[in-house]
Amino acid sequence: MDPALLVLASTALGVLVGAGTTVAIVGARRAGVRRAAEMRPELPEVATSILDEIDTFAVILDSSLAPVYANPTAREERHIGDAELADPDFLGRVRQVMSTGIPDTHEPDPSNPADTVRIHIVRFQRRFVLILAEDQGEEQRVNAMRRDFIANVSHELKTPIAAIGLLAEATQQAADSPELVRDFSKSLVKESRRLGELSRDIIQLSEAQSALRPEDREPVSLRDLVRGEVDSHRDFAGQHGVELVVTDESSADDATIMGRPTSLASAVANLLSNAIRHSPDGGRVGIGMRSDKSGFTVTVTDQGEGIAPEHLPRIFERFYRVDGARTRGDGGTGLGLSIARHSMRAHGGDVDVWSQPGVGSSFTLTFPVHDSANPEKGAKRMKKAKRAARAAARSAQPGPPEAPQKSAPQKGTR
């Protein structure tokens, strides 16, 4: 056969096969549309309109257990996938609801991390079954965190309260010995101060974890806030023989953020107090400020003993201490870094850490600044910063910043 004719014949055959496949696909889609159109009139428009607007996964199956409706949430968030809809056990539950009309509800098992979806099956107009699904994973996580927090708070409060009670009793029994009374009184002051600091930090953490309402927001000058906290910590630094050095490389004169001043101040204050407490005598704590198009950053660097790599992923957890016994002796509550992270993320920012044993640690606060000339742009930047904060929480630790000018062994431990 002539090669030219062979090529033409092959091309024609390919066109015919492609056209046949296209017709088959279009026909199948049209059949599905006709079937849905035949079934859909029996579904009340009011009901489907309501299901379209809710944030809960909603799917309707017909008497043959084939899906005839899915709301936007079900199409975007597949809490129940095709595999689950085809599962024999699940279909058996659906048939049971269809035949008896008795609703079926599956509650997640708190002890099973993989079981987080609450499923409710109810018969709908005799010929249909409505499946509602809601992911309870976040709620389970929050409840677990709340239980752990209450347990930790109870444990932390127990120690100073018991110590105050014993010291008060010992002071009473040593009334005839002025020297013992003075010693016990000093210990009472120390324990009462520790109890007061713990109560203060719990209140600050509760405020940091609460939703930031519009009425709570006000313009906050970040430069003034940082300098104010540095000035208020100079006496504390002097008591520890530590020098505070401020470096301001920011270019914007009006770097502001719309937020809660007390929460933002607590984030900066906790980093400063930690850096001072964990710096050696004669050491320096550097506070650097920088601004660019992405936001305003504050970096607090100490010359302490640093943090071992295995502790870095957990230092922002509540009550977590690298060395619990020695840190308690230093008066730390173990809540400062958690307060800082929650405060920053509530404002669309975040806090990162770099540390090297024997060199020191560097904590960086990133603030999304407010654009007074373009509020809409500022709002978009806030949303972008929140997404970046969530991504940063899942990413690896950042690279090291500039190392401190000198290092020295440190007596305290984080």
Side-chain angles (χ1 to χ4, degrees):
M1 179 180 291
D2 187 358
L5 293 176
L6 181 60
V7 171
L8 290 175
S10 301
T11 304
L13 180 61
V15 171
L16 290 175
V17 172
T21 303
T22 303
V23 170
I25 294 174
V26 172
R29 289 183 176 177
R30 288 180 177 177
V33 171
R34 286 196 302 270
R35 184 173 180 276
E38 292 173 358
M39 301 298 296
R40 191 62 178 265
E42 299 183 25
L43 298 177
E45 184 177 353
V46 174
T48 55
S49 298
I50 293 174
L51 294 176
D52 283 341
E53 297 300 326
I54 65 175
D55 294 331
T56 303
F57 176 103
V59 170
I60 297 178
L61 308 182
D62 61 11
S63 57
S64 64
L65 304 187
V68 294
Y69 166 82
N71 70 347
T73 302
R75 293 192 292 268
E76 295 173 3
E77 302 177 9
R78 301 302 297 269
H79 297 327
I80 302 178
D82 296 336
E84 288 81 2
L85 289 175
D87 181 70
D89 293 336
F90 181 78
L91 292 178
R93 292 166 52 198
V94 175
R95 291 191 186 95
Q96 185 72 15
V97 173
M98 177 72 77
S99 60
T100 64
I102 301 175
D104 179 284
T105 301
H106 167 75
E107 295 291 346
D109 183 3
S111 62
N112 183 6
D115 185 9
T116 62
V117 179
R118 181 180 185 270
I119 302 174
H120 187 63
I121 307 173
V122 61
R123 191 168 69 180
F124 186 61
Q125 284 195 343
R126 292 187 177 273
R127 293 190 59 192
F128 302 98
V129 172
L130 172 64
I131 301 175
L132 299 173
E134 185 177 3
D135 191 355
Q136 302 287 315
E138 181 66 15
E139 182 177 346
Q140 291 180 2
R141 186 185 66 82
V142 171
N143 289 335
M145 290 178 60
R146 185 180 294 113
R147 289 192 299 269
D148 292 343
F149 179 65
I150 293 174
N152 287 331
V153 168
S154 301
H155 176 74
E156 294 290 335
L157 289 174
K158 187 187 302 181
T159 302
I161 290 175
I164 289 174
L166 291 174
L167 288 169
E169 183 178 350
T171 302
Q172 186 178 20
Q173 294 177 357
D176 296 332
S177 177
E179 184 176 352
L180 286 177
V181 170
R182 283 194 295 270
D183 291 339
F184 290 147
S185 297
K186 291 180 181 178
S187 298
L188 272 172
V189 171
K190 179 181 178 180
E191 292 298 331
S192 62
R193 183 182 296 114
R194 176 182 171 189
L195 185 60
E197 291 176 354
L198 182 58
S199 302
R200 178 205 63 201
D201 285 353
I202 291 173
I203 293 173
Q204 287 184 353
L205 181 61
S206 177
E207 181 184 68
Q209 290 180 316
S210 63
L212 194 60
R213 299 170 299 180
E215 57 268 25
D216 295 332
R217 298 179 183 272
E218 61 179 88
V220 180
S221 172
L222 296 174
R223 182 178 287 100
D224 293 344
L225 181 142
V226 173
R227 290 191 176 277
E229 289 300 324
V230 171
D231 291 341
S232 65
H233 280 76
R234 290 198 182 277
D235 289 341
F236 182 61
Q239 295 171 7
H240 286 72
V242 175
E243 180 185 3
L244 300 182
V245 179
V246 179
T247 303
D248 189 352
E249 298 180 4
S250 57
S251 57
D253 296 330
D254 57 345
T256 62
I257 185 172
M258 298 297 296
R260 185 189 291 130
T262 55
S263 295
L264 296 172
S266 68
V268 178
N270 279 307
L271 295 191
L272 286 173
S273 60
N274 271 352
I276 294 170
R277 186 180 292 113
H278 298 291
S279 290
D281 293 339
R284 301 174 67 187
V285 170
I287 302 95
M289 290 181 282
R290 179 177 299 176
S291 62
D292 53 31
K293 295 181 179 179
S294 62
F296 186 89
T297 59
V298 178
T299 302
V300 179
T301 304
D302 64 50
Q303 298 172 334
E305 82 287 359
I307 306 171
E310 62 268 22
H311 294 296
L312 288 176
R314 300 193 60 192
I315 60 173
F316 292 102
E317 294 180 11
R318 293 169 297 189
F319 296 110
Y320 183 79
R321 298 178 177 92
V322 175
D323 186 338
R326 296 175 65 183
T327 306
R328 284 187 176 89
D330 287 343
T333 64
L335 290 175
L337 293 179
S338 182
I339 292 172
R341 170 158 284 185
H342 282 288
S343 297
M344 292 302 299
R345 290 186 173 177
H347 289 79
D350 205 356
V351 55
D352 296 312
V353 59
W354 172 88
S355 186
Q356 182 176 343
V359 176
S361 302
S362 183
F363 290 83
T364 300
L365 301 174
T366 304
F367 300 85
V369 296
H370 172 65
D371 191 341
S372 57
N374 192 341
E376 183 178 353
K377 182 179 179 182
K380 291 182 179 178
R381 185 180 296 168
M382 177 73 79
K383 293 180 180 178
K384 182 178 180 181
K386 288 183 178 180
R387 290 194 298 269
R390 289 193 292 267
R394 298 188 295 267
S395 64
Q397 293 295 332
E402 293 183 2
Q405 294 180 358
K406 66 177 182 177
S407 62
Q410 181 178 333
K411 296 175 288 185
T413 304
R414 292 184 190 274

